[in-house]
Amino acid sequence: MEAELGALTSALEDPARPVLALVGGAKVSTKLDLLRFVIGKVDLLAIGGAMANTLLFAEGKEVGRSLTERDMADNARRLLALARERNCRVILPEDAVVAAELVPGTPARNVASDAVPADMMILDIGPKTVARIAAELDKTRTLVWNGPLGAFETPPFDHGTAAVAKKVADLTQAGKLLSVAGGGDTVAALADAGLTDRLSYVSTAGGAFLEWLEGRELPGVAALAAAARGTSSGGAA
């Protein structure tokens, strides 16, 4: 727990800047608190995965048959407005890998994010988006990552997440980036790419990592802090 607390504190409480949060996953609705919290903490927010579809839709882009929370469009617009207020730049996918169905080896192609065919689904970020995130990572000192950037469990839609993960690993190993990642799917994606041990810290705490990213006090942390206060006051007496 001490290692985890040290990594998390370095990432968001007193980080080397610029700080980039990379957030993916399926639904905006499950990560509203997380997004609101990190917007106030980081300099740049890059969003991928199916949750990016909802933000693209909120900006007026058609997303075809992609997984999208259309009823969350107003919330998505409020998030983007909050980011502007907090001077947090937001990167949304510029291009996407699309296919008619989510099955291994299905025919897929790359399209601009504003040119998704009506009968297709966005299933991964495209190469331009990978390059954009990689370019920002070159200027970043601290990274917090939660959530895959595509349907990584189903090749070929693992390419975007794996490419970004390799960039993160290379920068971390070169001593240029503090990289902290967590969440069940994130851990699985990094393991699939064979890169888990090449980041600064990968949290396997799952839900606890998400709660921390939402700004909540973790019970274990609270207990340790209370114990420390009790020890210090007892020593003073």
Side-chain angles (χ1 to χ4, degrees):
M1 181 177 282
E2 185 178 351
E4 179 139 348
L5 287 177
L8 300 182
T9 299
S10 297
L12 280 186
E13 299 307 320
D14 187 26
R17 292 190 178 273
V19 184
L20 189 159
L22 188 57
V23 182
K27 295 182 177 182
V28 170
S29 59
T30 62
K31 295 192 177 180
L32 275 176
D33 289 341
L34 182 158
L35 290 167
R36 291 188 189 112
F37 182 68
V38 299
I39 280 172
K41 293 280 189 178
V42 307
D43 305 292
L44 180 64
L45 171 62
I47 299 178
M51 64 188 302
N53 303 340
T54 299
L55 289 152
L56 291 171
F57 175 75
E59 289 192 327
K61 296 181 174 68
E62 287 302 323
V63 292
R65 293 173 46 242
S66 308
L67 176 60
T68 310
E69 293 181 288
R70 294 170 188 264
D71 60 337
M72 293 294 295
D74 286 342
N75 294 85
R77 284 187 282 268
R78 282 194 285 270
L79 282 172
L80 294 172
L82 178 63
R84 288 190 291 270
E85 290 172 14
R86 299 290 178 85
N87 294 315
C88 172
R89 291 189 296 124
V90 177
I91 293 178
L92 293 177
E94 299 176 19
D95 59 345
V97 179
V98 300
E101 54 184 343
L102 180 58
V103 295
T106 191
R109 59 191 172 103
N110 192 68
V111 299
S113 59
D114 61 354
V116 178
D119 60 344
M120 293 283 181
M121 298 182 288
I122 297 173
L123 296 170
D124 197 9
I125 57 172
K128 286 185 180 178
T129 305
V130 170
R132 171 79 188 282
I133 293 173
E136 294 293 348
L137 282 167
D138 279 328
K139 298 177 280 187
T140 296
R141 297 286 306 283
T142 303
L143 170 73
V144 177
W145 186 353
N146 172 253
L149 306 178
F152 75 96
E153 306 95 332
T154 308
F157 309 113
D158 54 343
H159 289 172
T161 300
V164 171
K166 184 177 186 309
K167 179 70 174 182
V168 169
D170 289 346
L171 289 170
T172 302
Q173 293 298 303
K176 297 178 180 179
L177 180 69
L178 172 71
S179 54
V180 178
D185 286 343
T186 318
V187 173
L190 290 170
D192 282 358
L195 298 170
T196 306
D197 60 354
R198 298 189 63 209
L199 273 64
S200 304
Y201 189 82
V202 177
S203 169
T204 57
F209 181 80
L210 281 176
E211 288 179 13
W212 175 79
L213 276 182
E214 292 169 357
R216 299 192 224 172
E217 184 175 46
L218 304 182
V221 176
L224 285 176
R229 285 194 299 270
T231 301
S232 60
S233 61

